[in-house]
Amino acid sequence: MNIQIFGRNKCFDTKKAQRWFKERRIKFQYIDVDRYGMSRGELNTVRSAVGLEAMINKSDRDYPTIQYLASDAAKLDKLFDEPWLLATPIVRNGKQATVGCCPEVWSEWE
């Protein structure tokens, strides 16, 4: 397994995801999404796995700006340029991905 956790340092669900993998002694790479963002390839992989709408943080104050963009490509560009609009944690295992805390899915990856 090649686990990547994209999250925020102050996000409770991100800490929960990290704890879940640590308790099972599964190695993972943590990426602070606010500091480093995600590459376009990573964004596309996650979009293919979970869908674009699941990736957007609906509680962010800037949510209306992305909601009214015309195309999915424009929304993806906005997420690339402004990674704080991403919902966290995003946990990726190759082509598989989840958004939020999903231990039932992660246990199937073992």
Side-chain angles (χ1 to χ4, degrees):
M1 274 194 294
N2 186 18
I3 304 295
Q4 291 178 308
I5 300 175
F6 295 89
R8 294 183 174 82
N9 291 329
K10 294 185 179 183
C11 173
F12 177 74
D13 284 342
T14 298
K15 292 183 186 306
K16 212 165 144 180
Q18 289 175 321
R19 188 175 336 112
W20 192 90
F21 285 101
K22 281 180 186 175
E23 286 172 355
R24 284 150 187 82
R25 295 189 176 130
I26 299 171
K27 292 183 181 181
F28 63 88
Q29 177 186 15
Y30 171 72
I31 297 102
D32 184 353
V33 78
D34 289 333
R35 187 170 183 186
Y36 300 107
M38 292 178 77
S39 72
R40 289 192 187 273
E42 291 165 339
L43 281 170
N44 283 322
T45 301
V46 174
R47 186 192 69 187
S48 297
V50 299
L52 186 60
E53 288 303 314
M55 296 171 61
I56 301 170
N57 182 3
K58 292 170 181 57
S59 63
D60 192 279
R61 62 186 166 96
D62 291 334
Y63 174 66
T65 62
I66 198 168
Q67 183 182 12
Y68 294 109
L69 291 173
S71 68
D72 285 352
K75 290 179 182 180
L76 206 58
D77 287 342
K78 185 81 165 172
L79 289 175
F80 179 76
D81 294 336
E82 300 175 10
W84 59 85
L85 289 169
L86 290 165
T88 55
I90 296 174
V91 181
R92 211 175 134 224
N93 180 23
K95 299 280 183 195
Q96 301 170 316
T98 61
V99 176
C101 195
C102 305
E104 63 282 352
V105 176
W106 303 333
S107 62
E108 293 173 10
W109 292 351
E110 291 185 85

